[in-house]
Amino acid sequence: MSVVALVPAAGRGERLGYGMPKALVPVNGVPLLTRAVQGLFASGQVQHVVIAAPPSDVDLVHTATASLAPAGGAVHVLSGGAERTDSVRLALEHALRVIPDTSIVLVHDAARAFTPPEVIADVVAAVRDGHDAVIPVLPVADTIKQVDEVGVVVSTPDRAGLRVVQTPQGFRVETLKAAYRSGVAATDDAGLVEKNGGKVHTVPGHAHAMKITTPFDLAVAAALFAGGSA
């Protein structure tokens, strides 16, 4: 039974200011997407990676990633959709059509290019242990305020019960299929499962799984991971 990672990477990433898709922006000479795919395979758990690429850059993405798969594995590249959920849905449909023995599905952000392979393996292990949906998380370090529509504080949630969510998020394939068939909306795939009545389990995340979305994030990543090592 195959573990398949879906990587929605069709976003343009204007905030990085590179004039290219965010997933192809380099950190120390290596594109974010390349690093993310390398990490997925380095976990030793993933057999296939399905990338939803910008429609204009499918060939470029294929060239950048095709050689990364280990023996017996493969990278699949297809045109992504207008929104992240569209890209995940297209990648999931491709996986179900082309990789019929898919049993566990991961959804991973290319922008979290330095997620340690051990975190990826922990997510897969938790799904194998019987959890329908699993996410890596970190405790919240800052005080959080809830505000109203004019910016006035209305409450201060207890941060002891709050977590920062990372990727990859892992699912039994039937769980993710059902969530996408439900027609609900959410900001992440685990949220879709929650709104569809499912339970989401957590495992410890890692600070290296930071999401790179701004030039500052990019500079921090370049400094932290000089030499290509996380």
Side-chain angles (χ1 to χ4, degrees):
M1 305 299 281
S2 292
V3 178
V4 178
L6 315 179
V7 182
R12 300 308 303 179
E14 284 86 357
R15 278 182 291 175
L16 280 178
Y18 263 68
M20 66 173 69
K22 179 168 65 176
L24 297 177
V25 171
V27 175
N28 297 326
V30 181
L32 292 170
L33 179 59
T34 298
R35 293 185 182 276
V37 174
Q38 288 172 331
L40 288 164
F41 284 129
S43 73
Q45 302 299 315
V46 176
Q47 290 79 47
H48 295 265
V49 173
V50 182
I51 301 168
S56 61
D57 296 298
V58 169
D59 290 342
L60 182 60
V61 169
H62 184 269
T63 299
T65 59
S67 64
L68 302 178
V75 176
H76 311 249
V77 183
L78 59 132
S79 293
E83 303 293 337
R84 183 182 186 278
T85 51
D86 299 323
S87 290
V88 174
R89 181 180 288 105
L90 288 167
L92 178 61
E93 290 172 352
H94 176 90
L96 296 175
R97 184 171 62 254
V98 177
I99 314 162
D101 68 338
T102 299
S103 60
I104 295 173
V105 179
L106 306 179
V107 183
H108 190 39
D109 293 333
R112 298 187 188 275
F114 295 96
T115 299
E118 294 79 9
V119 172
I120 299 165
D122 287 346
V123 171
V124 174
V127 179
R128 285 203 173 109
D129 285 345
H131 298 288
D132 288 343
V134 178
I135 55 175
V137 299
L138 290 177
V140 173
D142 297 323
T143 296
I144 302 297
K145 299 289 186 181
Q146 181 180 357
V147 300
D148 63 16
E149 63 277 3
V150 294
V152 175
V153 172
V154 295
S155 69
T156 304
D158 181 1
R159 70 184 182 190
L162 300 176
R163 296 294 182 270
V164 175
V165 180
Q166 300 179 325
T167 71
Q169 300 185 354
F171 309 91
R172 285 194 320 110
V173 66
E174 293 299 329
T175 299
L176 193 59
K177 281 171 58 179
Y180 269 86
R181 283 198 302 260
S182 67
V184 300
T187 57
D188 69 343
D189 301 285
L192 291 178
V193 171
E194 292 172 54
K195 290 187 176 182
N196 201 39
K199 291 185 177 180
V200 179
H201 181 70
T202 65
V203 297
H206 196 284
H208 288 177
M210 58 184 287
K211 189 173 184 180
I212 299 171
T213 57
T214 69
F216 177 79
D217 301 332
L218 200 64
V220 169
L224 285 176
F225 305 117
S229 173

